[in-house]
Amino acid sequence: MRSALIVRGGAEFHDPVGTTDSFLPFLKEQGFEVTVAEDLAVYDDRDLLAATDLVVNCWTAGGDELTPERAGNLDEAVRAGTGLAGWHGGIVAAFTERRYQWLTGAWFVCHPSNFVRHTLTVLPEHADHPITAGIDRVELDTERYWLLADPLNDVLATITFPVEDGEPWQEPVTHPAVWTRQWGAGRIFVSTVGHHLPDLDVPQIRTLTERGLVWAARR
């Protein structure tokens, strides 16, 4: 069996327990033995991280902070082949530690206007990617993440902020919403969709997130 480690906690408004629990049956069906940690001290265990095939981080800023040493341990494990995956604030608004931000490839800045109807669009060149195959556009009513993003990311899907009354940008702005990245021998999957369980229960979002978890896991 492959192993998955779910690390969850922080701000409760992102429902770290409910959202991660919703993926447990799928992970087990895919042959993962799953360990759940609700304390960042798990990132002190370099041997555990090295032996883990997939880490799912679902910890939005709040409470404990990731220390430089713990960020370094996670980075070291991913470089050696451990996969890393997550969604929304649980992965890109998780920690201020810069090595962690470098690892994930982006940092959350804001979500203008909070919940807004918008469209997630899969880039045509990734229409056949194993994560997004068969998914073209997804209509959403949730937060839109404005990000600072790494050009190393392989962006699979985007969202666009149109010009809006009262907002400072003067032309439409497109931001990455789903991406992957290779980090040493490890793979990373990030989706910015998933504020709470209803977002993750949108069928196309559930599908691409499940696929992303499997894609990121160690081969």
Side-chain angles (χ1 to χ4, degrees):
M1 293 184 71
R2 291 190 291 176
S3 59
L5 171 65
I6 293 175
V7 184
R8 66 190 188 187
E12 289 297 326
F13 53 74
H14 280 157
D15 192 8
V17 173
T19 56
T20 54
D21 275 355
S22 75
F23 288 98
L24 290 178
F26 170 78
L27 288 170
K28 292 174 181 177
E29 288 170 5
Q30 295 298 309
F32 287 92
E33 182 176 1
V34 181
T35 299
V36 176
E38 297 180 336
D39 189 320
L40 294 179
V42 72
Y43 286 138
D44 290 326
D45 193 335
R46 295 172 66 194
D47 290 338
L48 173 64
L49 294 175
T52 297
D53 297 306
L54 174 67
V55 174
V56 179
N57 195 85
C58 190
W59 192 294
T60 305
D64 290 343
E65 180 56 79
L66 194 69
T67 64
E69 292 76 17
R70 289 172 177 173
N73 292 342
L74 178 59
D75 178 65
E76 177 184 75
V78 174
R79 291 183 187 216
T82 296
L84 175 63
W87 52 86
H88 201 64
I91 194 163
V92 292
F95 311 115
T96 59
E97 165 51 44
R98 290 184 181 181
R99 188 163 178 180
Y100 176 83
Q101 296 171 23
W102 190 34
L103 176 65
T104 57
W107 180 244
F108 162 76
V109 176
C110 60
H111 46 72
S113 303
N114 296 314
F115 274 53
V116 176
R117 291 189 179 278
H118 63 283
T119 303
L120 179 144
T121 303
V122 173
L123 299 183
E125 59 267 32
H126 290 304
D128 296 324
H129 192 283
I131 293 174
T132 51
I135 301 171
D136 180 17
R137 296 162 63 87
V138 186
E139 300 303 320
L140 298 168
D141 186 0
T142 189
E143 293 174 344
R144 306 164 298 174
Y145 265 21
W146 191 291
L147 303 167
L148 301 179
D150 188 338
L152 181 64
N153 296 340
D154 188 13
V155 178
L156 305 184
T158 61
I159 60 169
T160 297
F161 293 79
V163 176
E164 298 174 14
D165 290 342
E167 297 293 1
W169 59 93
Q170 302 298 306
E171 60 186 55
V173 183
T174 297
H175 277 260
V178 181
W179 67 88
T180 62
R181 54 199 272 120
Q182 187 75 39
W183 201 245
R187 288 177 159 190
I188 299 170
F189 162 79
V190 178
S191 169
T192 64
V193 183
H195 174 79
H196 54 183
L197 195 53
D199 293 343
L200 293 165
D201 281 340
V202 173
Q204 302 97 317
I205 299 301
R206 174 67 56 172
T207 295
L208 74 81
T209 307
E210 289 178 343
R211 291 173 177 176
L213 297 178
V214 174
W215 181 93
R218 190 195 316 268
R219 291 296 181 266

